[in-house]
Amino acid sequence: MKWRPTIFVLAAAFVAVFLEASVGLGRKLLGAQVDVLPALMVYAALTLGFTTIVLLAICGGLWFDSLSLNPVGASVLPLLLIGLLIYRSRELLLREHLFAQVVLGVAAGAVQPLGTLFILLNKGQTPLLSWLTLWQWLVIALGAGLVTPVCFKLFDRLHRALEYQPVTQTSFRPDREIKRGRG
Amino acid sequence: MLKKWHYIFLFFVVLLVLLLLRLPLGTAGKFKLAISGLFLPLFGLSNSTHQWLGQARDALVPRRELLRQIEQLRHDNEDLKLRLAQDAQLENENARLRSQIGWARQTRWRLKPARVMARDPANWWRSLEIDLGSRDGLCTNLAVLTPDGLVGRVQSVSEARSQVVLLGDPNLRVAAKVAGPGPANAETGIIMVNSSMPQEEGMIDLDLLSGASGVEPGQSVLTWGAGGVFREGIPIGTIVDKRPKEYGLSTEARVKLAANLSALEEVWVILP
């Protein structure tokens, strides 16, 4: 397992949670705070390994819950579920396609709050739910859909900048070389 | 795609999360504050940047504007000094009258300013973190307010930070009274969130008023003091409108909050 991409993804999750808590721009403009963790999970599940998915779910979920009134651990299982569902069928998903990235981001952004709400309600919590919640859900899902391709672009560029690229195979074969001249 | 060891690993992860979800409230609160302590360097960096930007902005204020502000502040200061002198006389008179009829003397609020560090990233809670903790004398269930009015209550405390649950969060209910012409006329109810109704920004419900409630728009709503968490007389907001509930058995009023909860940068905690 390569640790560098995992560390980058975890660092991005850490900074994303911090920004969600300290910069309330989305909340002021749209009435809902967009969550970046589902988008990061889509990237991790399509690109990185099983351990990264589990680490991102645990660390990201715990960081998010630590700054929230959510019971500790409430966000971990929905993130893990998203990651595993995508990881299981990642051979079938067209990772490079923008459309696939956006659709997966929207789906992950929609599933994450639903999963957390399911856990909260089963725990007997009474979160603030109203018709406005539907709007917030829509904003979160669309926001995650928009952020997902950005994550792919950003991490792919980072990967290209910091990792050794594989040497491309040329079509040149010495045994098929046309020798010119008499020698 | 998933191998056997993956399933075993997942089993332990799910078990761990279920254990975390079953943690007692106090332990979970301390655990959360310990994890959120990891963000302290970033919060420090954010604070420094904020201060630096503030200083840079201050350096650009013209001298004429500064002189105007100083003059305004001097004027306000003199006005407040006069009011303070008058209030001291009223306080003495109040204390004397209280002692004559055997009422307990009211103590002054011990206030401590705190800076807002972070807001709840989840959309279904209303809470924030402040930069005061147990080393500053904070404990749970202390009232948090701004000069405009009540903001919320301290939910959990670590050594250097505390989590405050705000008005409008389903976890916070406040016993409130509507200021009437006299103490006997004060109507009482509970500030709570009615989750079935969409909440407008800066509005909250005052529920469980009596069915024949005579509250009118524009009347002030204050903390009642019942329950022992909030002291009596902290401003909450003003009545906007009311409607009967449960076939007229009770009345619900909408209250416009005095404090602007969406733009909080500094708050005050009433120390015990």
Side-chain angles (χ1 to χ4, degrees):
Chain A
M1 180 189 157
K2 289 179 181 172
W3 281 100
R4 198 182 286 171
T6 306
I7 289 168
F8 285 151
V9 168
L10 291 179
F14 187 72
V15 174
V17 171
F18 165 74
L19 290 176
E20 282 169 32
S22 60
V23 183
L25 202 64
R27 199 180 285 120
K28 278 178 191 163
L29 293 176
L30 302 166
Q33 184 62 52
V34 176
D35 188 7
V36 181
L37 291 178
L40 284 171
M41 184 52 88
V42 172
Y43 171 79
L46 283 179
T47 314
L48 305 171
F50 174 81
T51 316
T52 309
I53 294 169
V54 175
L55 278 176
L56 178 62
I58 293 176
C59 295
L62 288 180
W63 288 332
F64 187 92
D65 293 340
S66 73
L67 293 176
S68 161
L69 280 183
N70 279 347
V72 62
S75 307
V76 175
L77 290 182
L79 275 175
L80 192 62
L81 180 76
I82 293 165
L84 291 176
L85 284 177
I86 297 173
Y87 182 73
R88 270 185 62 150
S89 46
R90 74 172 175 178
E91 304 297 328
L92 308 170
L93 297 167
L94 300 169
R95 180 195 177 280
E96 310 296 334
H97 283 230
L98 181 72
F99 181 72
Q101 293 170 2
V102 172
V103 168
L104 284 172
V106 169
V111 168
Q112 161 70 12
L114 286 182
T116 311
L117 267 181
F118 178 77
I119 291 171
L120 290 178
L121 295 174
N122 272 294
K123 231 186 149 278
Q125 303 268 337
T126 50
L128 201 57
L129 295 177
S130 64
W131 291 110
L132 190 67
T133 311
L134 283 177
W135 165 252
Q136 290 175 334
W137 185 55
L138 196 71
V139 171
I140 293 168
L142 292 177
L146 291 175
V147 172
T148 307
V150 178
C151 288
F152 275 82
K153 283 259 186 295
L154 191 76
F155 284 110
D156 285 349
R157 189 164 287 184
L158 204 64
H159 179 73
R160 277 200 299 275
L162 297 174
E163 298 283 331
Y164 288 111
Q165 297 301 309
V167 179
T168 49
Q169 294 288 324
T170 65
S171 57
F172 174 76
R173 284 171 58 185
D175 58 323
R176 300 291 299 275
E177 189 180 11
I178 299 168
K179 302 277 187 188
R180 295 191 188 278
R182 295 184 180 180
Chain B
M1 198 80 181
L2 289 174
K3 295 169 188 165
K4 192 181 172 186
W5 72 268
H6 286 159
Y7 286 107
I8 296 168
F9 193 55
L10 280 177
F11 172 76
F12 283 110
V13 170
V14 172
L15 197 69
L16 177 76
V17 173
L18 291 177
L19 281 174
L20 285 175
L21 284 168
R22 299 279 297 173
L23 279 178
L25 212 60
T27 316
K30 283 178 184 164
F31 185 68
K32 281 166 75 168
L33 285 167
I35 296 173
S36 64
L38 295 171
F39 290 99
L40 276 180
L42 288 182
F43 284 126
L45 189 69
S46 162
N47 188 24
S48 304
T49 313
H50 200 71
Q51 279 179 354
W52 182 81
L53 285 173
Q55 283 169 359
R57 200 175 52 232
D58 290 348
L60 295 173
V61 178
R63 185 181 152 81
R64 184 180 294 174
E65 174 62 19
L66 289 173
L67 288 171
R68 193 192 64 75
Q69 285 183 10
I70 289 170
E71 191 57 38
Q72 178 69 40
L73 287 171
R74 192 176 287 146
H75 188 263
D76 288 351
N77 194 20
E78 284 169 3
D79 188 36
L80 288 171
K81 271 182 184 170
L82 285 171
R83 283 193 196 186
L84 195 66
Q86 195 181 7
D87 283 353
Q89 284 179 3
L90 288 171
E91 195 180 335
N92 287 336
E93 184 185 338
N94 184 282
R96 198 177 63 249
L97 292 171
R98 273 178 177 271
S99 67
Q100 281 176 6
I101 57 172
W103 278 17
R105 192 182 173 127
Q106 277 193 328
T107 51
R108 281 183 177 274
W109 294 346
R110 286 174 58 219
L111 296 166
K112 195 147 190 138
R115 204 177 60 79
V116 175
M117 295 167 72
R119 284 184 160 272
D120 202 317
N123 289 298
W124 42 70
W125 305 119
R126 299 280 179 272
S127 76
L128 47 83
E129 282 209 13
I130 56 172
D131 65 345
L132 292 183
S134 56
R135 69 177 178 197
D136 304 293
L138 261 67
C139 57
T140 53
N141 291 333
L142 295 179
V144 180
L145 53 127
T146 65
D148 297 322
L150 186 69
V151 165
R153 167 176 63 82
V154 176
Q155 170 90 350
S156 53
V157 182
S158 75
E159 197 188 341
R161 287 164 304 116
S162 303
Q163 195 164 36
V164 176
V165 56
L166 298 176
L167 282 171
D169 188 275
N171 292 310
L172 182 62
R173 292 180 172 204
V174 184
K177 63 178 182 182
V178 182
N185 298 329
E187 289 205 45
T188 58
I190 307 284
I191 290 283
M192 59 167 75
V193 175
N194 188 351
S195 288
S196 61
M197 297 290 287
Q199 293 294 314
E200 283 177 46
E201 189 70 31
M203 300 287 263
I204 201 163
D205 299 323
L206 175 60
D207 211 342
L208 301 179
L209 289 165
S210 68
S213 171
V215 297
E216 293 296 332
Q219 278 187 291
S220 300
V221 180
L222 311 165
T223 51
W224 178 15
V229 174
F230 299 102
R231 293 187 181 204
E232 188 182 353
I234 304 171
I236 296 174
T238 48
I239 300 277
V240 173
D241 52 25
K242 64 171 182 177
R243 65 187 181 101
K245 262 184 83 178
E246 293 163 358
Y247 305 102
L249 287 174
S250 69
T251 304
E252 184 185 70
R254 285 196 311 155
V255 177
K256 171 89 178 142
L257 290 175
N260 182 6
L261 301 188
S262 58
L264 291 173
E265 287 190 3
E266 196 172 57
V267 292
W268 298 79
V269 183
I270 302 183
L271 295 177

